[in-house]
Amino acid sequence: MSTDSPLLDEQTTPTGELNFATPPLNVIFLGHVDAGKSTLSGRILLDTGMVDERIIEKYKLEAKENNRESWYIAYIMDCGEDEKERGKTIEVGRAHFETKKKRYTILDAPGHKAYVPNMISATTQADVGILVVSSRKGEFEAGLEKGGQTAEHTMLAKTLGVDQLIVVVNKMDDPTVAWEKERWDEITKKVGTQLKNVGWNLKTQVQFIPIAALSGMNILNRVTNVSWWNGPCLIEALDEIKFTVKHDASAPLRLSIIDRYKDKGMTVCLGKVASGQIKVGQKVVVMPNRCNCEVMALKSHEINVQGGVVEAGENVEVYLKGDDSDIYSGNVICDVQHPLEPVQEFIGQFHILDSPEVDIVCSGFTTNLHVHCVMETVTITKLLTKLDKKTGKPLPNPPKFVQNRDTAEAVFRFERPVCIEKFDVLEPLGRFVLRSDRTIGVGKVKKIKPLK
């Protein structure tokens, strides 16, 4: 392999442990179905030396058998047989690569609207978003039109705390595009307008980059045969991102579990440390079921972490032993001295989007609420205030109902207790999304009433 490839062993010690010498960046791949998210993820892993050539040959044969020969790179991320046969991401793909400047965790979210709940959980773990937009005639328009996932994904990413967004305009080498500057200008203008409408600052938070994921153009190395482009390639742009969100390693431990599985008699929990730190040998409690466990190992992409300590901001695999039979996705790992008590009721401020899903929202309204890695049924038991659209201040009388584009405060009641935190205390555990078949509204937790 080329010495320029950001190889994993540059960050490992002689004992094979992972050395956190460079900062982490957790990247979520977003976009409409068939935009090329999994292909781009696979191409990055292939070009940075993270995939063995023998594995690629295996995927080429499998893709040919499924009559999808050009999709072999996407199989790097879409490992499930159902995903390979259907050519669609269902679960959230998870992988990593490294450069000399940063360590990256890739989260490849499904683009189909049926799997948006999976995308929401993954986005809560991310720092930076890569919105993949197909430039192919017809595909771009489908993703942007009403019902397409481009708008919903970018709105959710903004709501769920993603701070920076790179828009990659993919398939620029397609015969319907052929790297035309006019097509590039059309797409960046339309996507830019949509991003601005959902709250993104185009000057400080967003950048656009043209690529061709299948052939690898402008990803690891700059494209040289396109006269109108003199900007960076994708990996350069990622390396230069200045991440502004601060993580508090001195706060109580909070790690929301996005997935878990059994391995050698232990429960392995995957997730991002939202605050505090976790270390090997530490006694922890997993809430809300109060499962007392000991941390037996900490790994990053199956490699032991040097020193056995992981701080806020890192994605990690936590190996737990003890009372681990009642641990599930959406649970929160805490230090024993500061458990996050479950909540049945809370006061939340929420904004209703311009959604065709609802006409009005009033007391008794029931839907699904997504908060960190949890989805739970919730009912609005009381509307407290409606905010003036011009001043943002509460109107004098409690409303009987609210509707599209209104912002209000209400009492919410979960069907089952959930571990959440006030937004002002810990933002990742205090943001929420209201959703049925489509996103209805977004909000933040203002006050909580722990059960204990």
Side-chain angles (χ1 to χ4, degrees):
M1 291 180 183
S2 166
T3 55
D4 291 334
S5 294
L7 299 178
L8 180 63
D9 57 11
E10 292 178 3
Q11 303 290 342
T12 55
T13 66
T15 59
E17 295 180 323
L18 189 64
N19 179 13
F20 286 171
T22 52
L25 201 67
N26 305 296
V27 182
I28 182 80
F29 283 72
L30 308 165
H32 192 65
V33 64
D34 291 336
K37 298 182 297 298
S38 295
T39 298
L40 175 56
S41 303
R43 170 56 70 183
I44 290 173
L45 296 174
L46 182 61
D47 288 354
T48 55
M50 294 294 151
V51 185
D52 192 282
E53 285 293 337
R54 291 171 295 181
I55 299 295
I56 291 298
E57 289 303 317
K58 174 175 173 282
Y59 288 153
K60 284 181 178 179
L61 289 173
E62 290 184 8
K64 188 174 182 179
E65 289 173 2
N66 288 328
N67 296 315
R68 302 182 186 275
E69 292 183 54
S70 64
W71 292 13
Y72 72 94
I73 296 178
Y75 283 11
I76 296 171
M77 295 299 291
D78 291 343
C79 299
E81 291 305 316
D82 194 28
E83 291 177 314
K84 290 176 180 178
E85 288 175 11
R86 296 167 64 180
K88 289 181 173 61
T89 304
I90 298 172
E91 299 295 334
V92 175
R94 184 185 174 98
H96 78 291
F97 72 97
E98 297 167 14
T99 69
K100 293 177 181 178
K101 293 187 176 182
K102 288 188 176 81
R103 291 175 291 111
Y104 294 92
T105 296
I106 292 177
L107 301 163
D108 178 23
H112 195 279
K113 62 183 179 180
Y115 307 113
V116 170
N118 295 349
M119 172 265 169
I120 291 174
S121 293
T123 305
T124 65
Q125 308 273 302
D127 306 311
V128 171
I130 294 181
L131 174 64
V132 185
V133 177
S134 172
S135 62
R136 181 179 289 162
K137 297 286 176 67
E139 286 186 355
F140 167 69
E141 288 74 13
L144 208 64
E145 68 186 11
K146 201 166 188 178
Q149 294 308 113
T150 301
E152 185 173 22
H153 278 200
T154 52
M155 181 276 300
L156 288 170
K158 180 67 177 168
T159 301
L160 295 168
V162 173
D163 184 60
Q164 297 287 318
L165 187 70
I166 297 178
V167 181
V168 293
V169 182
N170 191 23
K171 306 184 185 181
M172 289 294 292
D173 57 348
D174 187 81
T176 66
V177 183
W179 289 90
E180 289 179 357
K181 176 75 160 54
E182 293 77 13
R183 182 63 166 166
W184 162 261
D185 289 340
E186 176 194 1
I187 290 171
T188 55
K189 182 179 180 180
K190 289 181 177 179
V191 174
T193 299
Q194 195 169 75
L195 292 176
K196 191 175 180 180
N197 289 341
V198 297
W200 289 96
N201 187 316
L202 298 185
K203 292 183 178 180
T204 62
Q205 293 185 300
V206 180
Q207 54 185 313
F208 293 83
I209 295 177
I211 66 163
L214 189 60
S215 59
M217 294 181 70
N218 211 37
I219 295 175
L220 188 63
N221 299 300
R222 291 191 183 193
V223 65
T224 57
N225 59 348
V226 178
S227 60
W228 53 265
W229 180 255
N230 59 4
C233 65
L234 175 58
I235 300 301
E236 280 183 286
L238 281 169
D239 272 349
E240 295 305 317
I241 279 180
K242 301 295 188 290
F243 188 52
T244 59
V245 176
K246 303 297 183 184
H247 299 289
D248 188 356
S250 64
L253 170 64
R254 301 288 185 258
L255 188 156
S256 178
I257 301 170
I258 191 172
D259 198 6
R260 55 92 176 91
Y261 59 90
K262 288 286 188 179
D263 183 30
K264 298 178 181 177
M266 293 179 282
T267 295
V268 184
C269 300
L270 284 67
K272 180 182 175 183
V273 183
S275 67
Q277 62 175 224
I278 189 168
K279 59 185 72 176
V280 174
Q282 181 178 355
K283 305 292 185 183
V284 296
V285 58
V286 184
M287 300 295 287
N289 295 328
R290 303 187 188 278
C291 301
N292 290 288
C293 299
E294 181 178 352
V295 180
M296 307 305 293
L298 292 171
K299 297 187 179 185
S300 179
H301 310 288
E302 301 183 356
I303 301 173
N304 284 316
V305 174
Q306 184 186 23
V309 180
V310 174
E311 293 190 345
E314 297 278 0
N315 254 293
V316 68
E317 298 122 42
V318 183
Y319 287 69
L320 297 177
K321 196 164 189 178
D323 179 20
D324 61 353
S325 60
D326 208 16
I327 296 174
Y328 304 98
S329 298
N331 289 178
V332 179
I333 300 176
C334 311
D335 52 78
V336 175
Q337 294 80 13
H338 305 97
L340 183 61
E341 296 296 338
V343 169
Q344 191 98 44
E345 282 190 341
F346 73 94
I347 293 174
Q349 182 183 104
F350 67 104
H351 176 75
I352 303 175
L353 304 174
D354 190 5
S355 172
E357 292 295 314
V358 293
D359 294 320
I360 62 170
V361 171
C362 57
S363 296
F365 178 78
T366 298
T367 189
N368 292 322
L369 183 145
H370 300 258
V371 56
H372 57 93
C373 300
V374 180
M375 181 180 76
E376 185 58 70
T377 302
V378 72
T379 299
I380 292 177
T381 58
K382 185 178 182 181
L383 286 172
L384 300 175
T385 60
K386 178 179 171 180
L387 304 188
D388 187 284
K389 291 182 179 179
K390 292 183 178 179
T391 66
K393 295 181 179 180
L395 295 171
N397 299 316
K400 293 183 179 180
F401 65 89
V402 289
Q403 53 193 348
N404 283 353
R405 301 184 182 180
D406 282 343
T407 302
E409 290 189 5
V411 178
F412 293 81
R413 182 173 180 83
F414 288 116
E415 192 172 90
R416 295 178 297 179
V418 172
C419 290
I420 59 174
E421 186 56 276
K422 290 187 292 184
F423 180 82
D424 291 343
V425 174
L426 187 58
E427 292 183 12
L429 272 63
R431 299 185 184 95
F432 64 84
V433 175
L434 301 173
R435 198 174 191 283
S436 54
D437 292 334
R438 298 282 295 178
T439 300
I440 297 167
V442 296
K444 56 186 178 182
V445 178
K446 300 281 285 184
K447 296 180 181 179
I448 57 176
K449 184 180 177 182
L451 286 176
K452 187 174 179 180

